[in-house]
Amino acid sequence: MTGGDLDAAGGGGEPSEGREARLPSDALPRVRRVVGLVDTDSFAKWGAHLLATAPAHWDLELLTVATPRSASRAQLRSAFRGLDDRLAHLAAAPPEALEVDAIVEQLRQDPPDAVLVSLIGPVAELVIEEVHRRVPRRPGLVTGLPGISYPAKWKGVFFRARADLFVLHSRREVRAYEELATEGGVEPHFALATLPFARPSGAAASRDGAAIIRDSVVFAAQPSVPAERAERERVVGWLAETARRHPEWRVVIKVRAAAGEHQTHREQDPYPDLVPTDAPTNLVVESGPMSAHLDRAVALVTISSTAVLEAAARGIPALTLTDFGIGRHLINEVFVGSGLEGDAVDLVDGRFGTVRDEWMHDNHFHPESKDDWAERTERLMESRDAGVLRDRPAVRRSRGGVLRRAWERKNALGPDDRSVLGAVALVIGAPVRALKRVIRRVRRVVRPAEVPVLLAPTSQRAASGSGRAASGGAASGGAASGGGPSDRLGDREEQLVPGRDAG
């Protein structure tokens, strides 16, 4: 991505920290108290970094909610790296996780002007409902989804329908969610914010001021994409082959959680467990902040991780692997036409892509002048001041009253819900849920679900063949230049990418 592209994406290159909401020039903005609530690793990172872009007159606080998937302190320290002065202390001293009741009681005793509900779906629904029920003169409720949220998913709307504002990160996402919400009978309430991680950043430097050496190809691992163990083993095999072919590189499998830590999505087959004992020594598994890994990266590789947007914002070449096809369950449809699509042969060759201008502005790289989330949150707080903050209806139409609410709470919090009513609801509800699961399985046998629609894999070679240069040579010191790597693979392409035409 060129410097001009970054200027366009970043609102002319102006600093994004402390951006003021659009207010009359003769009015001093009123100090606003805004509390962020986070739980899992990805929601913690997103919530904290979104708040760090808020107007300077917002007084910010952040609390961690205790849930079965709450991020560890190490994950929180990683997630909170690089925040602005108002939240920078969190990287060294992340807040201890508090139970939902304790947090709602804090909000009841000292209501802020607004709350950012950056929580996994069922917990977000629970907290939003509890604030509505228990906090007089409630704060404005803002929520959203971290990372790439296209195609739109009904569960995202379902769990967060009662929030006043729902933050998304591209104009394409906003259109898709508005259409989905309208079809489901939910009044659209979506706002636009630049993805906090997709902002241009300066060149990295070491502590002694010397430039950091770029020597790494970073693979951004995801816990559930691809889902099958055999496919994940294939990915590790491609990375090992890349390490063998390029001994000058560190090939890093960047994981989001250490053993025993939780993630937003459950991981059945962690990549560290799949690395063979005879893997080359320059294939390594590491955790830590993605920003630190990108400081050393010559390229970023993934299936569909949001990290690819972080890389693109820095002008780092990237590759979204399409060997398993392109489809909704792979979360990679958004990258069609981006210029970043490739396959295992491209990876081993060291051939990476750059973002196409025509894709950028509708997909996460719009000018920051188009962001309206802070301005609309400000209006919510003004409505609260005036006593006219409107309550939005829930989508859920559950019967069962108090016992049903106890079940939903137990379902969201698991062992972190210690209420007697929750235990009763579990005794009654667990057999009912088990029966529903059996019924669903029977239905799937009788009437199998539709096979996911997959687009065919694509590659940087195909893009090059259509007249577009797609080499990572500029970043890698020419590793993909010289007309060689692809030709040298030759008949080994079939070995690297077995079954490419199966989809």
Side-chain angles (χ1 to χ4, degrees):
M1 186 160 43
T2 65
D5 292 335
L6 292 178
D7 287 343
E14 295 295 325
S16 61
E17 292 183 0
R19 289 183 293 110
E20 299 292 346
R22 298 180 183 89
L23 296 168
S25 58
D26 58 346
L28 291 175
R30 171 179 168 181
V31 174
R32 295 291 190 177
R33 179 167 163 256
V34 179
V35 174
L37 306 179
V38 302
D39 55 359
T40 69
D41 57 334
S42 57
F43 278 97
K45 181 178 178 180
W46 173 72
H49 284 264
L50 181 68
L51 284 180
T53 69
H57 64 278
W58 290 14
D59 182 18
L60 305 178
E61 182 181 354
L62 192 137
L63 302 173
T64 303
V65 180
T67 75
R69 301 193 209 176
S70 293
S72 69
R73 293 185 68 78
Q75 286 175 305
L76 291 176
R77 283 192 289 269
S78 176
F80 297 155
R81 174 172 166 164
L83 299 175
D84 77 338
D85 290 343
R86 293 169 292 180
L87 297 172
H89 62 282
L90 295 174
E96 294 286 350
L98 299 174
E99 294 184 355
V100 166
D101 287 339
I103 286 178
V104 174
E105 181 61 20
Q106 281 192 28
L107 299 178
R108 192 185 71 81
Q109 293 285 348
D110 185 17
D113 296 287
V115 173
L116 174 64
V117 182
S118 180
L119 303 168
I120 196 169
V123 183
E125 181 188 35
L126 171 65
V127 169
I128 290 169
E129 179 65 25
E130 289 295 291
V131 170
H132 272 278
R133 288 180 56 244
R134 296 167 53 187
V135 180
R137 199 169 160 268
R138 68 171 180 86
L141 294 168
V142 181
T143 190
L145 295 172
I148 296 167
S149 302
Y150 181 89
K153 296 178 179 63
W154 175 245
K155 278 190 175 182
V157 177
F158 178 89
F159 287 128
R160 299 168 177 85
R162 296 205 73 189
D164 301 294
L165 199 64
F166 191 129
V167 179
L168 296 166
H169 300 99
S170 78
R171 291 184 282 199
R172 186 180 190 181
E173 288 178 355
V174 170
R175 290 195 305 271
Y177 270 89
E178 286 178 343
E179 180 179 352
L180 182 66
T182 301
E183 289 175 355
V186 175
E187 180 184 347
H189 55 313
F190 305 102
L192 184 63
T194 299
L195 189 69
F197 331 123
R199 287 190 168 83
S201 60
S206 64
R207 291 179 181 176
D208 60 5
I212 290 178
I213 297 173
R214 291 191 175 273
D215 60 356
S216 302
V217 170
V218 180
F219 173 71
Q222 296 164 269
S224 58
V225 177
E228 299 299 324
R229 181 183 180 92
E231 293 176 339
R232 297 169 79 82
E233 288 174 337
R234 287 173 63 191
V235 172
V236 172
W238 301 334
L239 295 169
E241 181 66 15
T242 303
R244 292 187 189 97
R245 289 282 302 277
H246 300 279
E248 73 280 10
W249 287 343
R250 299 169 68 250
V251 178
V252 180
I253 301 175
K254 195 281 179 187
V255 297
R256 289 168 37 179
E261 292 180 325
H262 298 288
Q263 301 180 67
T264 301
H265 301 285
R266 291 186 174 90
E267 186 169 30
Q268 295 295 331
D269 297 293
Y271 280 104
D273 297 345
L274 305 179
V275 177
T277 56
D278 62 347
T281 56
N282 59 324
L283 176 66
V284 297
V285 177
E286 294 180 354
S287 58
M290 177 57 73
S291 59
H293 288 282
L294 291 179
D295 287 345
R296 296 183 61 174
V298 300
L300 186 285
V301 182
T302 189
I303 308 295
S304 56
S305 170
T306 303
V308 76
L309 302 177
E310 297 184 58
R314 295 182 179 218
I316 297 170
L319 200 64
T320 60
L321 296 173
T322 64
D323 301 84
F324 307 113
I326 300 169
R328 185 183 185 92
H329 67 293
L330 294 166
I331 325 175
N332 61 358
E333 291 172 292
V334 68
F335 295 114
V336 172
S338 67
L340 303 176
E341 305 138 287
D343 62 15
V345 177
D346 292 320
L347 170 60
V348 175
D349 283 353
R351 185 186 295 104
F352 307 105
T354 54
V355 180
R356 289 176 176 165
D357 292 347
E358 59 270 26
W359 180 88
M360 288 172 55
H361 300 298
D362 206 34
N363 294 277
H364 303 282
F365 292 98
H366 58 272
E368 288 188 28
S369 60
K370 300 296 182 182
D371 290 351
D372 63 354
W373 83 275
E375 181 180 4
R376 290 176 63 180
T377 301
E378 194 77 37
R379 292 205 299 266
L380 282 177
M381 294 187 283
E382 291 170 358
S383 295
R384 177 178 180 270
D385 294 341
V388 294
L389 191 60
R390 182 170 64 92
D391 286 352
R392 296 172 55 88
V395 177
R396 189 186 293 278
R397 298 290 186 267
S398 300
R399 297 178 180 178
V402 173
L403 193 60
R404 178 68 195 199
R405 285 200 302 271
W407 164 255
E408 299 299 343
R409 176 189 175 94
K410 190 69 176 179
N411 189 46
L413 300 181
D416 290 292
D417 171 40
R418 300 177 180 85
S419 67
V420 174
L421 197 56
V424 173
L426 182 64
V427 171
I428 298 173
V432 175
R433 182 167 64 173
L435 178 60
K436 287 182 177 180
R437 286 176 174 171
V438 170
I439 293 173
R440 282 197 294 266
R441 290 193 191 102
V442 171
R443 284 177 177 170
R444 283 197 292 267
V445 172
V446 175
R447 187 173 55 190
E450 293 183 7
V451 176
V453 177
L454 284 178
L455 300 178
T458 187
S459 70
Q460 291 291 310
R461 302 182 305 288
S464 297
S466 64
R468 177 179 174 274
S471 171
S476 62
S481 60
S486 177
D487 296 334
R488 289 196 299 272
L489 268 178
D491 57 359
R492 296 182 61 198
E493 179 171 339
E494 206 52 40
Q495 172 187 344
L496 280 169
V497 202
R500 287 177 57 206
D501 300 325

